[in-house]
Amino acid sequence: MLYPINTPSRMVFDLNGVWQFSLRRPGEPDDGPLQDPRPMPVPAAYNDIYPDAALRDHVGEAAYERTFTVSAPMLAGRLVLRFGGVAHRARVYVNGALAAEHLGGFLPFEAEIGSLVRLGENTLRVIADNTLTLETLPVGRLVETEYPGLGRVRENLPNFDFFNYAGILRPVVLYTTPETYISRIRVDPHTDGRVEYQVEWGGTGEAAPEIGVEVRNAQGDTVAAGTGAGGVLRVKDPILWEPGAGYLYRLAVRCRLDGAEDRYELPFGIRSVEVRGTQFLINGKPFYFKGFGKHEDSCIHGQGLDEAVNVKDLALMDWMGANSLRTSHYPYAEEMLRLCDAQGVVVIDELPAVGLHANFVATGLLDKNGTVNTWEQVKTTPHHREVLEKLVERDEHYACVVMWSIANEPAAEEEGAAEYFAPLCALARELDRQRRPVTIVTYEGCAPDTCKAAPLVDVLCVNRYFGWYNYCGRVDAGAAVLEDELRRWHEKYPDKPLMVCEYGADAVAGVHSLPSVMFSEEYQAEFLDTYHKVFDALPFFVGEQVWNFADFATAQNAMRVQGNKKGVFTRDRQPKAAAFLLRRRWRAIPDFGYKG
Ligand code: GCB
């Protein structure tokens, strides 16, 4: 699905702003008036906007409504309503008629609405449902508990460690296209200057449109051109997209039929990604990942898009010498990927597949009795395939994306994991024209000899907290166990690169202690420093991503102090002591060749 932009043939109209909003009771008809509506910003999660626990903790549906005006030029061709992301399930009505239904909070969807609108004022209503189940991604459990005197209470327990923010999280726009329009552009650029491309179109006509393509450089000069819906263009002496230097070309496409023309420009970078033995190569050079697992999370907006925060986060990463991030634990807004592409930030692009474990969650919320078979319980396969298809379609052209993460911390040690994941890994490789490496990020319960995901992936990505959740207060013991385990991973898989995608310790900003104790800034810094000595001793090791970039909101529980405090920055993006340690380290580590 193409990102909405203005072009000579397309107009984009912003529907963000303040909408009317109300929570809904189960069974309420979709078309009745909103009950006691109140203003609600879009995009934003609704949970933290009012001082109201019932709103913050609401389980179920909420309704948003606004009017919008349609002018005559908007009806000259197709009129499309597009949502960047609504968590997690949406029904969309235009003037009372159902225009779209969608499952999945972190990917865009759209509907052609030309036949549903009239000139002048129109009404748009969105019903957003935040319920997570054993069929959705992320995975959650809907439970009803009887409390004495309170009756039955519906709760939605997350199988994951971030707040289940809800609502219209990403931008809403209307855009126009001609009747025959460009529906998809695929690029597969090569470092020798060849750019394979393919253009798909939609429309009602029988005849094929004429397609023209041009590659423009960053100055806007045309450096290659061709015709036809698919082919190979040649860019002479290409400037490569590199970590830290996100040089972008644009593929300018024209699609002409019966005198009408659609035009679109797709930014893309020229670079290669390859796994060779234990090395992760970008442009043929061994790359070392330095960076973070993040969240889309900030004060007030919750998980809603906040472009100021996104720009600030990348500025802080640059200040630290970080070169990469993982979109833990769901696809991020495309606005962020566009920034990463332009700034040369390397991205591991993760599906919303978190919580695929019936016996484990970081906060210990689940029964750890080991008797439940995850792969018999969860019913996520169809949705998992669907989000993978949509993610590859949305993000395939981004040079910053160097690897697909199919899931975070699934029950990869349990029987059934290989059967669940093998087809998904195969599908990722089949769908992606650029054939990026594939990973599944695993947790401490998956050892080298029990992990059923490891044989399926190109890069071994592990999350480790030895010295935090276990060996409490013993960073030295944690690091010793870590080194032993990482070496065993390498012995078992000598031909696969290995990286740690999460390591970290909670630190409550302002808590200090000498000698250090858990939750102090000193302990967090020592924890990271001790892990780094292990990483530096391992030649087959390709990267370190700290958990987490910033403190973030979670469900309330006894393991969390107003959210997860493993941030190197506070939630309002002020540094803890660890930020300075990481800055010294990462500014001294080159992007390429650190491990030979
Ligand atoms: C993990 C999870 C992450 C948690 C983190 C923690 O392994 O992948 O979602 O937030 O641990 O802090 O416990």
Side-chain angles (χ1 to χ4, degrees), residues 161 329 362 408-409 463 465 469 502 547 552 560 564 566:
D161 182 37
H329 295 308
N408 180 68
E409 301 198 340
N463 297 343
Y465 292 94
Y469 290 115
E502 285 183 27
W547 191 258
F552 57 93
R560 296 288 174 254
N564 189 309
K566 293 192 187 68

Side-chain angles (χ1 to χ4, degrees), residues 489-508:
W489 276 106
H490 179 59
E491 271 162 33
K492 175 92 184 186
Y493 296 100
D495 293 328
K496 295 194 191 217
L498 172 66
M499 67 183 284
V500 168
C501 274
E502 285 183 27
Y503 65 110
D506 289 71
V508 179

Side-chain angles (χ1 to χ4, degrees), residues 273-554:
V273 175
E274 187 193 341
V275 167
R276 197 184 300 151
T278 58
Q279 293 187 324
F280 192 100
L281 305 178
I282 296 181
N283 295 337
K285 300 174 289 186
F287 178 70
Y288 190 78
F289 292 80
K290 308 174 277 178
F292 295 99
K294 284 183 96 279
H295 268 299
E296 290 186 314
D297 176 276
S298 63
C299 301
I300 305 171
H301 295 241
Q303 239 169 0
L305 173 69
D306 185 332
E307 302 217 61
V309 167
N310 283 350
V311 172
K312 170 121 193 160
D313 286 1
L314 294 191
L316 290 172
M317 284 181 52
D318 182 52
W319 174 80
M320 300 182 82
N323 60 16
S324 62
L325 62 89
R326 176 168 61 120
T327 70
S328 40
H329 295 308
Y330 37 83
Y332 287 1
E334 248 181 293
E335 286 74 10
M336 184 55 150
L337 287 188
R338 290 168 76 89
L339 279 178
C340 291
D341 228 23
Q343 294 183 25
V345 177
V346 170
V347 172
I348 300 173
D349 206 353
E350 186 156 284
L351 290 175
V354 59
L356 284 165
H357 207 310
N359 298 307
F360 166 82
V361 73
T363 47
L365 288 177
L366 301 180
D367 290 343
K368 291 186 193 163
N369 57 19
T371 56
V372 187
N373 185 331
T374 301
W375 305 109
E376 283 168 13
Q377 273 199 40
V378 294
K379 304 282 179 250
T380 43
T381 300
H383 188 51
H384 210 148
R385 289 182 70 88
E386 188 188 11
V387 288
L388 175 57
E389 281 162 10
K390 287 186 174 165
L391 182 73
V392 173
E393 184 184 336
R394 192 193 76 162
D395 291 354
E396 186 188 42
H397 66 279
Y398 287 111
C400 62
V401 174
V402 301
M403 178 152 63
W404 307 110
S405 166
I406 303 295
N408 180 68
E409 301 198 340
E413 75 283 16
E414 288 184 18
E415 276 317 315
E419 291 72 11
Y420 183 92
F421 282 113
L424 288 166
C425 292
L427 182 62
R429 294 184 176 107
E430 179 194 317
L431 290 171
D432 178 13
R433 265 196 87 139
Q434 298 186 16
R435 295 191 167 273
R436 290 168 180 85
V438 168
T439 192
I440 295 168
V441 180
T442 56
Y443 82 121
E444 286 176 18
C446 278
D449 48 358
T450 59
C451 182
K452 299 180 186 7
L456 307 172
V457 301
D458 300 302
V459 178
L460 302 170
C461 288
V462 301
N463 297 343
R464 288 299 178 271
Y465 292 94
F466 302 135
W468 184 255
Y469 290 115
N470 37 32
Y471 315 103
C472 297
R474 290 293 309 273
V475 166
D476 54 343
V481 175
L482 174 79
E483 178 160 356
D484 174 66
E485 197 202 321
L486 294 181
R487 289 192 185 280
R488 283 187 289 114
W489 276 106
H490 179 59
E491 271 162 33
K492 175 92 184 186
Y493 296 100
D495 293 328
K496 295 194 191 217
L498 172 66
M499 67 183 284
V500 168
C501 274
E502 285 183 27
Y503 65 110
D506 289 71
V508 179
V511 170
H512 294 287
S513 176
L514 186 66
S516 71
V517 292
M518 292 174 78
F519 293 100
S520 67
E521 292 194 31
E522 287 73 18
Y523 192 87
Q524 184 187 42
E526 275 171 30
F527 181 103
L528 299 178
D529 198 31
T530 312
Y531 269 50
H532 295 152
K533 294 193 173 78
V534 174
F535 300 161
D536 286 344
L538 307 174
F540 47 83
F541 191 77
V542 299
E544 53 196 62
Q545 290 190 329
V546 175
W547 191 258
N548 186 284
F549 176 76
D551 294 346
F552 57 93
T554 65

